[in-house]
Amino acid sequence: MKRLIPLTSVLVLALCASSPALAQNGNGNGHGKGHGAGNPVQQDRDDDGDDDRREGRRNGNGRENRAERDVPRNHRSAEVRVREIVGDPPREGERAVRELRRGLERGESVVGREVIGPRRDEVRALLQGCPPGLAKKDNGCLPPGQARKIDRSQSYDRYNYLWRSFGGDGGYQYRDGYLYRTAPDGGLLGYLPVLGGILSTGNVWPTQYTYQQPPQYYSRYYGLNDRYQYRYSDGVLYGVDPKTQAIAQVAALLTGQQIDVGQRMPAGYDVYNIPYDYRDQYVDSADRHYRYSDGYVYQVDPTTRLVQAVIQLLT
Amino acid sequence: MHNRNAWAIAPLMALSLAACSGEADKSADGAPPAPTNQTLAEVIADKGEMDTLEGVIRNAGLSDVLAGKGPYTVFAPADAALGAAGSDLSDEAMKAQGAALLRAHIVPGALTRADILAALERGGTGGVQMRTMADGLLTFSRDGDAVTVTAADGATARLTGDETVAANGVVQPVDGLLVKAE
């Protein structure tokens, strides 16, 4: 019978050094409380140190096992995040490596979920009605009593195709900071705040809008500013002033894809794209490929395309 | 003796001069150029033919992102490729549109032309794909000696000019937009 067990730090080191494929992220930070208007995908920042517990720790006993010796020295600058594995508790590193390799070959040795951000379709769930301060009028949302600004609308409308990839029936129209989705008959279905619109530096974060606190690891990887509270939504990492709730920084663009050990690497990672500073450490070979996304390196089986490891990059 | 030394270094000098003759950022064997110390934002700002793109980036509020950690690969349309959209999306009222356009031209990681060609070599004739920051897919394929990139909506461009490996990614010039205008 399968059992879920956390790896000890010693095992983590052995696994990291010998094969990043055998380790993966911790239990995610999907245990947060809601923010804003009760959207279920919003989560609190994981400030309880849980993130650190998930990360591999170096063996402190001063001894170096074979797995450590086999790995290039600069490889050790990267942490491999470990979550849970299926199998018996290992007694020594090498045995664990062998067992986990067998398990990986069976496709059953690693479970869990890497939470980077809410899925796009969750984030893009339309907010109902009209944005604050606007009233529904003529199948749109306008400031009360204000006539539609024809010139600006026409100018905007020329580029509504830029949001075509959001999909769904009907269309999208941008107006004054928000993206409105309309039904094929022209009726208003809802709206979304968008980057560069209401989600621009200096603007107050819309209270109704979904976001998630990014993993603590991002603070180190992206060098985030302690003064701001960081929020992830729809592929963008924003820094928000906690006092004013104003967006102070657009910190990073992310794919926002949740890629987990054991799952098939999603489409769109066919080309080797490892950051230059890490290319000596993560080199494609016949039995493993490496791909980068959103601050992590993913080790992928070239044949099955299954993700074998999620690797943090220390700065 | 002195003269012999001078002649001995002549071939090295010739090689050095060749390296400075307009192909300085492209190695002779097709390998990617050496990384510069500049960020993506600085590289784009320094390219005279990308002034409009720089304006769109700045207007959209993404200069800091492209000066930050990354890494990203920016498929960078030159001024001519941006066309009318370039000036329109540099307008203060068009920040959101500019951001949306840019996200469709940015993929995660450092993607050199050699990397793309190697993937095409492995991937056969069906093309290889990369995901954009707009959650779309770009498909790369060979067209003779050229590499074309096609977006999901059918927009197509070719990789053109010289790539630049920045400190936080790669600038890949393209000759068209990767979003199809309706």
Side-chain angles (χ1 to χ4, degrees):
Chain A
M1 184 177 138
K2 294 178 183 177
R3 284 189 295 144
L4 302 183
I5 59 166
L7 285 178
T8 67
S9 58
V10 174
L11 173 60
V12 168
L13 180 59
L15 297 180
C16 294
S18 64
S19 172
L22 304 177
Q24 66 161 346
N25 182 31
N27 57 5
N29 56 357
H31 54 276
K33 294 168 288 196
H35 266 283
N39 190 307
V41 300
Q42 292 177 339
Q43 297 177 0
D44 272 346
R45 188 185 184 103
D46 188 357
D47 282 336
D48 59 5
D50 188 33
D51 195 51
D52 289 336
R53 288 198 299 273
R54 286 181 231 129
E55 296 166 359
R57 293 293 178 210
R58 187 157 299 173
N59 188 347
N61 63 11
R63 288 180 296 180
E64 188 179 49
N65 62 27
R66 196 182 79 180
E68 285 179 283
R69 293 196 303 271
D70 289 345
V71 79
R73 180 166 297 278
N74 57 0
H75 193 147
R76 296 178 196 169
S77 67
E79 289 182 76
V80 180
R81 305 181 78 196
V82 175
R83 177 175 293 162
E84 296 163 320
I85 59 168
V86 177
D88 294 326
R91 293 177 183 168
E92 58 184 354
E94 289 185 12
R95 177 187 164 195
V97 168
R98 285 197 303 272
E99 289 178 352
L100 290 171
R101 276 191 174 137
R102 290 190 199 107
L104 272 174
E105 288 167 1
R106 295 193 300 269
E108 64 179 17
S109 64
V110 188
V111 296
R113 198 164 74 103
E114 168 66 29
V115 177
I116 293 177
R119 296 202 319 266
R120 297 264 180 164
D121 54 353
E122 291 173 333
V123 173
R124 290 175 179 172
L126 296 173
L127 301 176
Q128 299 302 308
C130 287
L134 303 183
K136 193 170 182 180
K137 185 177 181 182
D138 298 334
N139 289 330
C141 299
L142 295 170
Q146 182 174 328
R148 182 182 293 271
K149 297 175 180 177
I150 299 298
D151 291 344
R152 171 167 287 190
S153 297
Q154 288 175 344
S155 179
Y156 283 162
D157 288 346
R158 286 208 309 274
Y159 293 97
N160 283 334
Y161 66 85
L162 289 166
W163 289 280
R164 188 170 47 214
S165 63
F166 278 35
D169 294 333
Y172 290 88
Q173 292 183 323
Y174 179 82
R175 293 281 186 281
D176 299 324
Y178 296 94
L179 190 65
Y180 297 92
R181 184 172 172 194
T182 52
D185 65 3
L188 180 66
L189 295 174
Y191 71 98
L192 284 170
V194 290
L195 173 67
I198 202 69
L199 297 175
S200 293
T201 54
N203 290 341
V204 173
W205 187 272
T207 54
Q208 312 91 333
Y209 188 50
T210 293
Y211 67 88
Q212 184 189 44
Q213 300 288 358
Q216 211 168 39
Y217 161 63
Y218 278 9
S219 295
R220 285 172 288 153
Y221 181 76
Y222 288 107
L224 302 182
N225 192 320
D226 290 343
R227 287 179 299 167
Y228 304 137
Q229 181 187 71
Y230 283 88
R231 299 176 177 182
Y232 167 81
S233 194
D234 196 20
V236 186
L237 191 59
Y238 300 91
V240 175
D241 185 318
K243 292 179 181 173
T244 65
Q245 294 298 298
I247 297 171
Q249 179 188 18
V250 178
L253 297 177
L254 306 172
T255 68
Q257 291 190 294
Q258 294 182 23
I259 305 172
D260 195 8
V261 172
Q263 81 173 66
R264 193 175 296 274
M265 193 69 181
Y269 294 94
D270 293 332
V271 184
Y272 181 77
N273 66 338
I274 297 299
Y276 255 61
D277 290 347
Y278 296 92
R279 288 194 165 208
D280 289 342
Q281 299 166 55
Y282 302 109
V283 182
D284 277 4
S285 65
D287 62 348
R288 61 186 61 174
H289 283 178
Y290 294 98
R291 296 292 182 267
Y292 168 88
S293 186
D294 297 352
Y296 295 91
V297 166
Y298 296 90
Q299 182 181 309
V300 182
D301 183 306
T303 305
T304 65
R305 296 181 57 83
L306 293 177
V307 176
Q308 299 173 319
V310 181
I311 303 167
Q312 290 185 348
L313 299 176
L314 291 180
T315 55
Chain B
M1 182 69 177
H2 179 77
N3 284 342
R4 275 212 304 270
N5 285 343
W7 281 111
I9 63 170
L12 291 175
M13 292 176 65
L15 284 174
S16 300
L17 288 172
C20 297
S21 61
E23 294 289 332
D25 57 351
K26 187 190 289 183
S27 67
D29 60 359
T36 71
N37 291 325
Q38 290 184 302
T39 66
L40 292 165
E42 290 169 335
V43 168
I44 291 169
D46 277 1
K47 285 186 180 289
E49 71 276 20
M50 292 182 184
D51 287 347
T52 309
L53 177 64
E54 184 203 3
V56 175
I57 292 169
R58 194 171 52 243
N59 187 52
L62 295 180
S63 298
D64 286 349
V65 170
L66 297 183
K69 174 74 176 176
Y72 306 105
T73 296
V74 180
F75 293 97
D79 294 349
L82 271 166
S87 55
D88 284 351
L89 302 188
S90 298
D91 187 298
E92 169 75 13
M94 295 285 207
K95 292 168 63 175
Q97 289 87 344
L101 181 79
L102 292 169
R103 290 170 75 177
H105 288 73
I106 300 174
V107 302
L111 219 69
T112 68
R113 216 160 288 186
D115 296 329
I116 296 168
L117 290 170
L120 286 168
E121 196 72 25
R122 281 195 313 269
T125 56
V128 296
Q129 293 186 316
M130 287 299 293
R131 186 163 294 274
T132 71
M133 296 301 174
D135 202 26
L137 287 172
L138 298 179
T139 302
F140 300 89
S141 56
R142 291 293 295 262
D143 181 13
D145 290 337
V147 175
T148 62
V149 51
T150 305
D153 64 6
T156 300
R158 289 192 309 173
L159 303 189
T160 184
D162 291 337
E163 63 187 346
T164 304
V165 178
N168 59 345
V170 180
V171 175
Q172 289 286 359
V174 288
D175 66 0
L177 294 181
L178 299 177
V179 182
K180 194 171 190 176
E182 287 177 336

